[in-house]
């Protein structure tokens, strides 16, 4: 009841449904009625009455279906009124009531009830498991801080139970991590004996009661308690040869397997292309090979200088395509994969690999090093080396990694956990092939030609490259990186809009010139042609001015 004022016209739970329709239209007028501050009370009252009817109509299937339909309708109207203020309990309640209304259309009562209960059971198991897995990808949950953070909020931290929990942070952390574990492992309940499963469901009920007490969310009790009966029904009928659950799991498993095989095949095709006549070159060095690519002026004119492009964390040679294409009009442009990436199997240091490539292609004289992201730290390992000290007098850092910030990230358990969880998510997407069917950040922030885009995406989602990026992130050296980079005679920092402030600080540390590519993000600064052309222009002006 303390949220009553939030439903007013100036509260954060105010109605917003009328805003999307023209003033004076029928939909606008209906929306204004729905958006009225008193509407939530009316919907809550109708829902309460229908819920009471649902309880009293035990044994009366028609009345129960009618009550479920009313509850589902009220729930949907609340969702239309405002997208805020809803939680998992509301969604579960909506699922149960909507499933009941839909399965009521099946004439055969036994089939209708069986399908309804199995559908609710499947939704319950999926809800718990997905919730736990999603929390496992959230740093604050795995680190044990999420519950304490929630209890600090105005909406969920007012109750006396919340105040008690706040006094015991260790208990909060244990409960937070425990929630992730039990939710993610909920499907194991179907492997237990009926008696053990009943105990497990009782423990889950106790959890929901605890949530209701601590966060004052009684909806969680009724929303999820309502699904446990369906779980019990499925546990009691586990011997059935053909069930809804087996069908759904079979279909889902088949689709996932097919997706994984298709993605694997596409990655193999991309790798074969890299080995083909139009792919990158390979040079045997030390304990393996180094993969590289050389672009030269097409008209045969003598190149002005050699430009080395260092890739970002987990990124491919193709990530530099737009920049390399433009620079190669007047310069020899060399790209290579650091140890462990792509077809580079040698574990020699980056500087050793690059020196070998420069010798192989006959690159003489001045070398200009251009880096992206963590590639700046790779460059820091060799720019002061005797083999490069007299050749590298110009350095361009594109959205470079600040070694101080990287050290902070690697030593902070929350930041490191967030990075590792993001990589784990990418690895899961790669292995299952989800990235082929769902939008992903790689494709959103890169717009190469179709063949280049294909190779780049398959490279980034290669499990081996993902694992190697974690290894590089954790192992790349940062000692004296700023002094090594700053020792280069002329330095330019080119920043994306996304990290402009951070890069300005890095530029100051390096004593570098500074430019911003407005409208760009960390990947799109070289992934979109319009941004990459600005980066290339900045590099060209910098080289001509020095």
């Amino acid at each position: 009841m303390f949220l009553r004022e939030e439903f007013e016209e100036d509260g954060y739970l105010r109605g917003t449904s009328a805003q999307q329709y023209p003033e004076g239209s029928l939909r606008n007028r209906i929306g204004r009625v729905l958006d009225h501050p008193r509407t939530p009370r009316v919907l809550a009252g109708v829902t309460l009455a229908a819920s009471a009817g649902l309880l009293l109509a035990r044994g009366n299937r028609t009345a129960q279906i009618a009550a479920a339909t009313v509850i589902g309708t009220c729930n949907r109207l609340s969702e239309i009124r405002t997208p805020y203020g809803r939680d998992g309990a509301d969604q579960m309640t909506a699922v149960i009531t909507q499933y009941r209304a839909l399965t009521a259309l099946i004439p055969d009562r036994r089939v209708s009830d069986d399908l309804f209960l199995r559908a609710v059971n499947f939704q319950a198991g999926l809800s718990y498991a997905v919730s736990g897995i999603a929390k496992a990808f959230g740093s604050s949950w795995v680190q044990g801080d999420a519950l304490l953070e929630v209890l600090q909020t105005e909406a969920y931290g007012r109750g006396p139970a919340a105040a008690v929990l706040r006094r015991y942070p260790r208990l909060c952390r244990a409960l937070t991590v425990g929630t992730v574990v039990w939710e993610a492992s909920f499907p194991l309940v179907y492997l237990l004996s009926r008696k053990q499963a009943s105990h497990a469901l009782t423990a889950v009920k106790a959890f929901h009661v605890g949530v209701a007490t601590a966060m004052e969310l009684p909806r969680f009790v009724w929303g999820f308690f309502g699904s446990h009966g369906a779980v019990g029904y499925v546990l009691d009928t586990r011997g059935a040869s053909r069930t809804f659950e087996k069908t759904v799991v079979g279909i889902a498993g088949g689709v996932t397997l097919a997706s994984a095989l298709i993605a694997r095949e596409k990655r193999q095709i991309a790798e074969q292309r890299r080995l083909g006549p139009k792919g990158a070159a390979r040079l045997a060095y030390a304990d393996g090979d180094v993969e590289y690519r050389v672009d030269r002026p097409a008209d045969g004119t003598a190149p002005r200088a050699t430009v080395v492009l260092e890739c970002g964390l987990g990124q491919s040679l193709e990530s530099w395509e737009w920049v390399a294409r433009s620079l190669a009009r007047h310069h020899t442009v060399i790209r290579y994969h650091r140890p462990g990436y792509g077809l580079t199997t040698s574990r020699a240091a980056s500087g050793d690999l690059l020196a070998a490539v420069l010798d192989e292609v006959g690159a003489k004289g001045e070398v200009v090093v251009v880096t992206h992201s963590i590639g700046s730290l790779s460059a820091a390992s060799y720019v002061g080396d005797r083999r490069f000290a007299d050749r590298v007098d110009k350095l361009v850092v594109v959205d470079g990694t600040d070694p101080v910030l990287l050290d902070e990230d690697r030593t902070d358990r929350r930041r490191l956990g967030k990075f590792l969880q993001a990589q784990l998510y990418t690895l899961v997407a790669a292995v299952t092939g989800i990235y082929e069917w769902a939008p992903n950040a790689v494709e959103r922030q890169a717009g190469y030609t179709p063949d280049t885009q294909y190779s780049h995406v398959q490279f980034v989602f290669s499990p081996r490259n993902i694992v190697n990026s974690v290894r590089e992130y954790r192992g790349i050296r940062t000692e004296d990186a700023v002094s090594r980079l700053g020792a280069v005679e002329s330095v330019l920092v080119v920043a994306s809009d996304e990290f402009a402030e951070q890069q300005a600080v890095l530029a100051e540390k390096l004593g570098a010139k500074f430019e911003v590519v407005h409208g760009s993000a960390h990947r799109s600064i070289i992934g979109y042609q319009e941004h990459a052309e600005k980066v290339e222009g900045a590099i060209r002006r910098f080289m001509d001015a020095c």
Side-chain angles (χ1 to χ4, degrees):
M1 296 302 291
F2 64 79
L3 290 177
R4 178 182 299 176
E5 66 276 8
E6 308 302 345
F7 291 102
E8 299 296 331
E9 294 182 356
D10 58 347
Y12 70 86
L13 294 181
R14 63 186 180 277
T16 60
S17 62
Q19 297 176 4
Q20 55 187 311
Y21 302 112
E23 189 73 27
S25 65
L26 177 60
R27 289 187 173 184
N28 179 267
R29 290 197 295 269
I30 295 175
R32 290 176 63 183
V33 173
L34 192 60
D35 293 346
H36 195 279
R38 293 181 182 175
T39 300
R41 303 179 199 174
V42 174
L43 293 176
V46 174
T47 299
L48 183 61
S51 300
L54 191 64
L55 292 173
L56 296 174
R58 186 177 181 84
N60 188 332
R61 185 169 178 271
T62 302
Q64 288 182 333
I65 291 173
T69 303
V70 171
I71 295 172
T73 302
C74 290
N75 203 310
R76 180 56 182 158
L77 288 174
S78 296
E79 185 178 353
I80 293 173
R81 182 183 181 278
T82 177
Y84 307 110
R86 302 177 58 76
D87 50 42
D90 296 305
Q91 294 165 2
M92 180 57 73
T93 300
V95 163
I96 294 174
T97 54
Q98 289 167 14
Y99 281 0
R100 180 68 283 184
L102 289 173
T103 56
L105 299 175
I106 300 175
D108 189 312
R109 175 173 179 171
R110 184 187 64 80
V111 174
S112 172
D113 292 348
D114 181 76
L115 181 60
F116 164 65
L117 291 169
R118 292 189 181 280
V120 171
N121 162 75
F122 190 82
Q123 185 66 51
L126 190 66
S127 297
Y128 284 127
V130 169
S131 177
I133 294 172
K135 288 182 175 68
F137 285 107
S139 179
S140 62
W141 281 96
V142 175
Q143 301 294 341
D145 299 324
L147 180 57
L148 197 58
E149 291 172 354
V150 171
L151 294 177
Q152 300 293 340
T153 63
E154 181 179 354
Y156 300 120
R158 295 188 179 185
V164 172
L165 285 175
R166 281 198 297 270
R167 289 201 296 269
Y168 300 96
R170 289 186 179 180
L171 174 60
C172 279
R173 290 193 176 91
L175 292 173
T176 301
V177 176
T179 298
V180 176
V181 173
W182 82 255
E183 285 188 340
S185 60
F186 182 85
L188 296 178
V189 73
Y190 301 104
L191 303 178
L192 302 176
S193 67
R194 187 62 178 91
K195 184 176 181 180
Q196 292 172 331
S198 295
H199 293 327
L201 289 176
T202 299
V204 174
K205 288 181 173 66
F207 167 81
H208 288 304
V209 171
V211 169
T213 304
M215 300 182 186
E216 299 187 345
L217 285 174
R219 296 191 308 276
F220 269 77
V221 173
W222 310 118
F224 285 93
F225 273 26
S227 68
H228 289 185
V231 175
Y233 171 80
V234 169
L235 289 170
D236 290 334
T237 57
R238 280 182 287 190
S241 57
R242 298 178 61 186
T243 64
F244 173 82
E245 297 82 15
K246 293 178 181 178
T247 301
V248 172
V249 170
I251 293 173
V255 169
T256 301
L257 178 61
S259 175
L261 293 175
I262 291 172
R264 181 172 177 269
E265 180 67 20
K266 287 189 173 183
R267 289 194 295 268
Q268 289 178 341
I269 292 173
E271 185 167 311
Q272 289 170 1
R273 287 184 178 182
R274 306 188 79 86
L275 293 168
K278 293 184 178 180
R282 286 189 296 173
L283 170 66
Y285 181 80
D287 57 338
D289 295 330
V290 52
E291 180 184 13
Y292 68 96
R293 181 167 298 176
V294 182
D295 297 286
R296 293 186 173 92
D299 58 7
T301 58
R304 299 176 187 173
T306 299
V307 179
V308 172
L309 301 178
E310 282 278 358
C311 299
L313 185 71
Q315 300 299 293
S316 68
L317 296 178
E318 287 80 7
S319 65
W320 280 111
E321 189 68 17
W322 295 125
V323 175
R325 181 180 299 185
S326 298
L327 286 175
R329 294 170 186 163
H330 304 290
H331 305 278
T332 295
V333 179
I334 294 176
R335 293 172 274 172
Y336 76 104
H337 278 145
R338 294 191 293 275
Y341 286 117
L343 302 178
T344 296
T345 56
S346 174
R347 286 294 174 182
S350 297
D352 294 335
L353 298 182
L354 178 57
V357 171
L358 290 172
D359 289 342
E360 176 69 13
V361 303
K364 305 296 184 181
E366 179 187 5
V367 174
V368 178
V369 178
V370 182
T371 73
H372 178 235
S373 189
I374 207 169
S376 60
L377 297 183
S378 174
S381 69
Y382 62 76
V383 290
D385 189 281
R386 57 182 175 80
R387 294 169 296 181
F388 299 97
D390 296 331
R391 301 181 66 181
V392 179
D393 60 357
K394 297 182 184 68
L395 170 69
V396 181
V397 176
V398 181
D399 244 19
T401 298
D402 188 323
V404 174
L405 296 181
L406 178 60
D407 282 338
E408 290 177 357
D409 288 345
R410 293 192 298 195
T411 54
D412 185 281
R413 62 186 181 89
R414 291 282 299 276
R415 297 179 192 174
L416 178 60
K418 186 175 182 179
F419 168 78
L420 294 176
Q421 286 160 350
Q423 297 307 304
L424 178 59
Y425 174 82
T426 304
L427 184 61
V428 171
V431 172
T432 60
I434 294 174
Y435 70 95
E436 289 288 347
W437 321 109
N440 59 75
V442 178
E443 292 183 300
R444 284 197 302 270
Q445 294 196 20
Y448 306 106
T449 57
D451 283 349
T452 301
Q453 183 86 342
Y454 179 90
S455 295
H456 177 62
V457 170
Q458 299 306 324
F459 181 97
V460 173
F461 282 100
S462 164
R464 189 170 77 92
N465 292 329
I466 295 169
V467 172
N468 194 65
S469 67
V470 174
R471 183 185 299 115
E472 183 177 44
Y473 177 88
R474 301 196 68 174
I476 197 164
R477 296 185 63 181
T478 58
E479 296 87 351
D480 301 322
V482 170
S483 60
R484 287 171 177 267
L485 295 174
V488 177
E489 184 176 332
S490 300
V491 184
L492 168 67
V493 172
V494 182
S496 69
D497 241 354
E498 183 179 8
F499 294 121
E501 293 184 8
Q502 180 189 105
Q503 292 299 295
V505 174
L506 179 61
E508 185 176 353
K509 292 179 181 179
L510 300 178
K513 298 178 181 178
F514 181 67
E515 290 192 29
V516 179
V517 177
H518 296 290
S520 64
H522 185 62
R523 287 196 183 107
S524 71
I525 192 171
I526 60 173
Y528 285 163
Q529 186 173 9
E530 59 181 303
H531 300 326
E533 288 176 348
K534 294 177 182 177
V535 172
E536 187 273 335
I539 296 171
R540 184 165 28 83
R541 291 190 302 273
F542 172 69
M543 293 171 62
D544 292 342
C546 295

